[in-house]
Amino acid sequence: MPASEPVRRRGAPPFGPEARRHHDRVLASLDDVLSALPSAERGLFEARLARRFEDLFDGLEPVYGRLPGFAGFLERLVRKLARAWVARPDSLKTLDIERDLAPDWFQHESMLGYVFYVERFAGTLAGVHEHLDYLDELGVTYVHLMKVMHSRDGENDGGYAVLDYTRVDPTLGTNAELESLCTELRRRGVSVCVDLVLNHCAREHPWAIEAREGSERHLDYFHTFPDRTLPDAYERTLPEVFPDFAPGNFTHDEALGRWVWTTFNAYQWDLNWSNPEVFLEIVEVMLGLSNLGVEVFRLDAVAFMWKRLGTDSQNQEEVYDLLQALRACSRISTPAVIHKAEAIVSPDDLIRYFGTGRHHGRVSNIAYHNSLMVQYWGALASRDTRLMTHALGEFPRTPHNIAWGTYIRCHDDIGWAVADDDATAVGLDGFAHRSFLSDFYTGAFAGSFAEGEVFQHNPATGDRRVNGSFASLAGIERALAAGDDVALDLAIERVLLGHALIAGFGGLPLIYMGDEIGLPNDAAWADDPAQSGDSRWLHRPAMDWARAARRHDPTSVPGRLFAGLRHILAARRATPQLHAANDSDILATGHPRVFAHVRHHPLGPFLGLYNFTEETQWVRLEVLRAVGLEQPLDRLGSGPRLTDDDHVELPAYGRLWLSG
Ligand code: GLC
């Protein structure tokens, strides 16, 4: 080997000469930062930098490489990474090593996520401590705390209009309280996830204030325009996220005398990621929160981070570059930390958030499986699993180092993301089916069991999204109001079907606060003027602790749901096939009312069967045999019940987790 050839660390990706040059230069400039460290720690940082510099460089170079000062930018960035590592508390450095030793920790079948607004769950961060035993009882290993950072007063998009990324919202507590909550949760084996709102900040954020006061530097943190020429040109191909209460994607700011890009609400200013200073600012924020003990970042609305004329300005190549670079920053400086992408986009775009092609496996660790959620609700309404089977069967395969975030409800609305092609493939009309789902879940369809509301009716496209809690959309609210015990039994089974689906599909199941006890819609959601414009508050009620107190009463609704869910979760923990490293293969069994998927594993196959109707269904034993299950056990129950004519039986909304 010629002497000039770079030494390649075993197992590391080949270091390109350009990246090598930058790496060596940057490393040489870190001496003053790293010299304070014991040599083993310094060596660890240097090894991590060497291991991940290529990821960092490959992400940043296509975006910022041609800008003057790129080399200086890289140097400033890596100094930040080194400083954060130096400042990282010892307990978190230990966690880093633990995660290095078990990099698949978030894929494990023992993982269970719980998602809540801190204020709705416990009032304040300090208040959360009082409910940790409750979370333990459910087996929670991950909590997504919502609206943690300081957001603007009044309307704030449920906390997604951030005023200060570095400071906990004063209504919830202090940074020290966030740190102590993270510490206590970590002690209990629970990882904390918080949002990092990447696409926009509040128009009252100091960066925006500076821009309004004439700072050119800060003006460049945003996308602003002197007149409507470019906004109009962009608008020609841009969709509208909130057509109802925030039409258009640009807002005129009087003080600035310019149009500002505001994809979401007028008070949320989109950040200009083509400016490397924005990247540096966000990295600083991310590392600071990581050093308080945050382990997972939910990267909010990432699809929108890069704008390109003539496109919908979503899922642009630069987004994947930037996310890969952000991921590399965490891997170098705070390696216990992982990233979850919130991208509610089509499957082909979605899969790229895990990293495909040159980004393979390097972009995010977790992404929401929006389609699984939509297909659950679709199959439930139509009592037909053919579209679900087809659409999920078409999904691209995922890398092995990721996990889907599987969920049935969250704090957002449900958009009927059913592709026309998929609908056509099973003999449906996409538009008509989406309309049917909106009618069904807002109770407008005769015979519907659901209680929900329309959100963001878009007359241009006919889209009507839906709000409502799991329990209310699944029929619990109506059944209780009608005093109909039979309907109630069915509604409870529908909820448990959903819980079993997200626990058994493979990935990290995310339970939205209250869904373990059947919290209904919040009838008083519009009373607060700061919320009354946004009906997503319908399904963001305060936790009902009196209801939760009935969770051990087997005759009550919360008791039946809580026990049912705990049973599913115990079975999940005991089923190694549910480790997320392998995909679920969707099985087209030909059965129009049962959804089937199989997970292959060295211990033998796992077959999930889910009956989406209120009638008993039977699946041919041949289906089981074809995947290698001769004498299956049901991990969820004592069955399965086999019939004399070679079928396996599923009662109303029944679910079977079969393995050998
Ligand atoms: C994400 C959040 C949603 C918010 C939007 C804009 O989609 O989940 O609640 O409105 O981003 O920040």
Side-chain angles (χ1 to χ4, degrees), residues 117 146 157-158 160-161 195 197 200 241-242 264-265 268 298 300-301 342 344 410-412 534 536 540:
Y117 273 102
M146 268 186 295
D157 190 25
Y160 290 90
D195 281 276
V197 186
H200 45 261
V241 179
F242 294 143
F264 292 86
N265 290 289
Q268 288 163 301
R298 175 185 181 275
D300 180 68
E342 191 247 348
I344 309 303
C410 68
H411 69 291
D412 280 328
D534 185 343
R536 287 176 297 175
R540 298 170 183 172

Side-chain angles (χ1 to χ4, degrees), residues 26 171 198 200 245 270 426 548 649:
V26 165
T171 61
L198 296 183
H200 45 261
F245 52 56
D270 286 31
V426 296
E649 185 171 298

Side-chain angles (χ1 to χ4, degrees), residues 97-421:
I97 306 271
E98 285 168 14
R99 300 298 197 225
D100 280 349
L101 295 173
D104 64 338
W105 64 276
F106 64 95
Q107 299 180 295
H108 203 263
E109 60 273 14
S110 60
M111 288 295 290
L112 172 68
Y114 191 78
V115 180
F116 59 87
Y117 273 102
V118 171
E119 186 272 320
R120 306 265 98 175
F121 183 67
T124 60
L125 284 170
V128 175
H129 287 268
E130 286 163 37
H131 300 294
L132 296 185
D133 289 342
Y134 179 78
L135 298 178
D136 274 350
E137 198 181 323
L138 211 50
V140 169
T141 62
Y142 160 117
V143 284
H144 172 195
L145 311 178
M146 268 186 295
K147 187 182 146 69
V148 175
M149 306 327 291
H150 192 187
S151 51
R152 74 194 288 271
D153 289 341
E155 277 185 61
N156 57 31
D157 190 25
Y160 290 90
V162 178
L163 261 190
D164 187 345
Y165 288 97
T166 64
R167 183 161 163 233
V168 164
D169 199 285
T171 61
L172 299 174
T174 61
N175 285 21
E177 281 167 333
L178 175 60
E179 185 170 27
S180 79
L181 181 60
C182 290
T183 306
E184 175 55 16
L185 283 166
R186 191 162 64 249
R187 196 185 66 74
R188 291 172 177 250
V190 181
S191 300
V192 170
C193 168
V194 303
D195 281 276
L196 200 53
V197 186
L198 296 183
N199 182 65
H200 45 261
C201 63
R203 72 167 167 227
E204 294 80 6
H205 190 287
W207 301 331
I209 294 175
E210 296 270 2
R212 270 195 297 273
E213 287 175 356
S215 159
E216 286 292 326
R217 178 167 114 78
H218 291 97
L219 189 63
D220 201 26
Y221 278 34
F222 303 99
H223 299 274
T224 69
F225 309 87
D227 55 40
R228 283 292 310 185
T229 315
L230 271 173
D232 285 343
Y234 278 112
E235 281 289 14
R236 266 173 231 131
T237 50
L238 289 179
E240 291 192 82
V241 179
F242 294 143
D244 209 346
F245 52 56
N249 288 277
F250 300 87
T251 304
H252 193 260
D253 186 89
E254 293 303 326
L256 203 60
R258 294 174 75 88
W259 291 87
V260 184
W261 199 309
T262 54
T263 300
F264 292 86
N265 290 289
Y267 53 78
Q268 288 163 301
W269 285 20
D270 286 31
L271 290 166
N272 173 17
W273 283 87
S274 68
N275 177 357
E277 294 302 319
V278 168
F279 189 90
L280 289 174
E281 296 273 14
I282 294 292
V283 167
E284 182 82 29
V285 165
M286 187 172 82
L287 300 176
L289 291 171
S290 302
N291 279 353
L292 291 181
V294 170
E295 293 181 38
V296 185
F297 287 106
R298 175 185 181 275
L299 306 180
D300 180 68
V302 284
F304 301 89
M305 283 167 68
W306 195 268
K307 327 292 186 193
R308 178 163 281 116
L309 197 61
T311 71
D312 62 0
S313 291
Q314 288 187 50
N315 315 305
Q316 300 295 308
E317 185 62 25
E318 289 82 352
V319 173
Y320 305 103
D321 288 328
L322 289 166
L323 294 185
Q324 175 178 313
L326 282 177
R327 174 91 201 94
C329 291
S330 290
R331 290 179 110 169
I332 291 167
S333 182
T334 57
V337 171
I338 61 167
H339 294 184
K340 176 171 69 165
E342 191 247 348
I344 309 303
V345 298
S346 73
D348 288 337
D349 290 319
L350 177 58
I351 206 77
R352 297 171 67 203
Y353 288 92
F354 290 134
T356 54
R358 70 186 176 87
H359 297 294
H360 183 79
R362 303 197 283 178
V363 176
S364 314
N365 309 83
I366 304 176
Y368 288 94
H369 203 322
N370 181 60
S371 290
L372 183 68
M373 181 276 286
V374 167
Q375 296 298 340
Y376 162 82
W377 289 111
L380 211 55
S382 57
R383 278 80 164 175
D384 192 319
T385 54
R386 279 174 290 191
L387 177 60
M388 179 176 197
T389 300
H390 174 78
L392 296 179
E394 293 288 291
F395 249 72
R397 298 197 74 75
T398 56
H400 290 295
N401 61 345
I402 63 90
W404 286 117
T406 58
Y407 66 112
I408 296 291
R409 285 305 287 119
C410 68
H411 69 291
D412 280 328
D413 51 288
I414 306 174
W416 301 117
V418 171
D420 286 338
D421 287 355

Side-chain angles (χ1 to χ4, degrees), residues 609-654:
L609 295 175
Y610 306 85
N611 174 4
F612 274 80
T613 72
E614 47 269 88
E615 278 120 38
T616 306
Q617 303 291 341
W618 292 270
V619 172
R620 287 170 297 127
L621 282 187
E622 228 172 83
V623 169
L624 280 57
R625 292 193 191 115
V627 299
L629 288 170
E630 289 297 334
Q631 295 197 314
L633 291 175
D634 175 19
R635 306 188 79 99
L636 280 177
S638 49
R641 210 184 95 70
L642 306 180
T643 64
D644 293 341
D645 63 346
D646 276 358
H647 282 77
V648 60
E649 185 171 298
L650 286 119
Y653 298 115

